[in-house]
């Protein structure tokens, strides 16, 4: 057997597999973003209260665990929609609170526009340059853990300055996570489109809420 032919065949198979992951990831991401927007809209229309920190954390990590556990089956997709729908529900009361402020509508639209611009810009950069950002994995893991704990501290001890600093950290960390995960997908580091979708969705969600917080503060809201 010709080694070159074998190597070429394997290379083509890898490229086909990667393209399939990319296609499935962005299709599922688009659907989950739309579903999350729907649940957020319903939550806003029904004026539902925010579930609170404890229920939010239990719901998020519980559904994330189930999504991860069943990522290789149809149940994994069902739990992806459950997770993103739940996150949309928790976002509804937050958006209602901002929209009730004098400049709330402008702040929300600016946060949405900024999130879209950052995500599309960073994704396009990785897709066109095909640069490998896998080296950021360890830094992002530690940074997100530190920011998460700092965020809990800001909530429990009611420190507005720390809360703003955490939001700024999350904007940078989520931007880095988009670079890292997109690079992971196109270079074959992530072969499960369910987990790739969850990672990108969480990055977009946290990027949006962090920008919302920062822009709200900048607008004196």
């Amino acid at each position: 057997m010709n080694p070159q032919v074998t190597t070429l065949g394997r290379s083509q198979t890898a490229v086909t597999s990667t393209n399939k992951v990319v296609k499935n990831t962005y299709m599922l991401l688009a659907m989950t973003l739309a579903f999350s927007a729907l649940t957020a809209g319903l939550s806003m229309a029904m004026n539902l209260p925010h579930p609170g920190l404890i229920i939010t954390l239990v719901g998020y990590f519980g559904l994330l665990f189930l999504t991860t556990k069943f990522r290789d089956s149809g149940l994994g997709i069902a739990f992806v929609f459950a997770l993103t729908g739940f996150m949309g529900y928790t976002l509804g009361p937050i958006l209602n609170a901002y929209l009730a402020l004098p400049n709330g509508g402008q702040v929300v639209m600016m946060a949405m526009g900024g999130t879209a611009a950052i995500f599309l810009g960073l994704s396009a950069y990785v897709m066109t340059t095909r640069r490998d950002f896998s080296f950021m994995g360890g830094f992002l893991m530690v940074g997100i853990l530190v920011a998460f704990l700092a965020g809990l501290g800001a909530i429990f001890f009611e420190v507005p300055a720390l809360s703003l600093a955490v939001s700024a950290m999350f904007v940078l960390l989520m931007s880095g996570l988009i670079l890292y995960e997109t690079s992971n997908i196109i270079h074959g580091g992530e072969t499960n489109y369910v987990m790739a979708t969850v990672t990108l969705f969480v990055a977009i969600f946290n990027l949006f809420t962090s920008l919302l917080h920062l822009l709200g503060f900048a607008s004196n809201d």
Side-chain angles (χ1 to χ4, degrees):
M1 182 178 293
N2 191 327
Q4 292 182 337
V5 173
T6 303
T7 301
L8 181 60
R10 289 176 179 172
S11 178
Q12 289 176 336
T13 301
V15 170
T16 301
S17 177
T18 298
N19 289 340
K20 184 178 179 181
V21 173
V22 171
K23 178 183 176 182
N24 289 342
T25 295
Y26 286 99
M27 281 181 59
L28 185 57
L29 180 62
M31 289 189 289
T32 52
L33 286 171
F35 183 66
S36 182
L38 176 63
T39 57
L42 290 173
S43 178
M44 294 170 67
M46 297 172 67
N47 201 27
L48 296 176
H50 194 276
L53 179 63
I54 302 300
I55 294 177
T56 298
L57 291 178
V58 171
Y60 170 73
F61 285 110
L63 289 170
L64 181 61
F65 169 78
L66 291 172
T67 302
T68 304
K69 182 177 180 179
F70 294 102
R71 62 185 180 273
D72 294 317
S73 68
L75 274 177
I77 296 177
F79 283 122
V80 167
F81 279 98
L83 172 62
T84 55
F86 175 75
M87 292 175 74
Y89 154 62
T90 63
L91 184 61
I94 298 173
L95 292 177
N96 271 344
Y98 274 92
L99 291 173
L101 300 171
N103 298 323
Q106 183 180 1
V107 169
V108 170
M109 292 305 296
M110 288 175 63
M112 289 179 63
T115 301
I118 292 171
F119 175 72
L120 293 174
L122 293 177
S123 298
Y125 174 75
V126 178
M127 291 289 189
T128 53
T129 63
R130 302 192 69 82
R131 185 173 174 184
D132 188 358
F133 287 94
S134 59
F135 65 90
M136 297 176 63
F139 166 77
L140 288 171
M141 183 174 66
V142 173
I144 290 170
L145 178 60
V146 171
F148 175 73
L149 293 176
L152 290 179
I155 293 172
F156 287 119
F157 297 107
E158 299 182 354
V159 185
L162 179 58
S163 181
L164 286 171
V166 169
S167 292
M169 288 175 63
F170 263 106
V171 168
L172 295 175
L173 288 167
M174 293 304 104
S175 297
L177 185 58
I178 291 169
L179 289 173
Y180 170 79
E181 189 63 16
T182 306
S183 169
N184 231 11
I185 294 169
I186 66 173
H187 289 291
E190 178 59 83
T191 58
N192 188 289
Y193 69 92
V194 169
M195 297 312 300
T197 299
V198 169
T199 301
L200 290 177
F201 181 93
V202 169
I204 292 170
F205 183 91
N206 284 316
L207 181 59
F208 173 67
T209 54
S210 297
L211 285 175
L212 195 62
H213 187 198
L214 294 172
L215 290 170
F217 175 78
S219 301
N220 296 319
D221 291 336

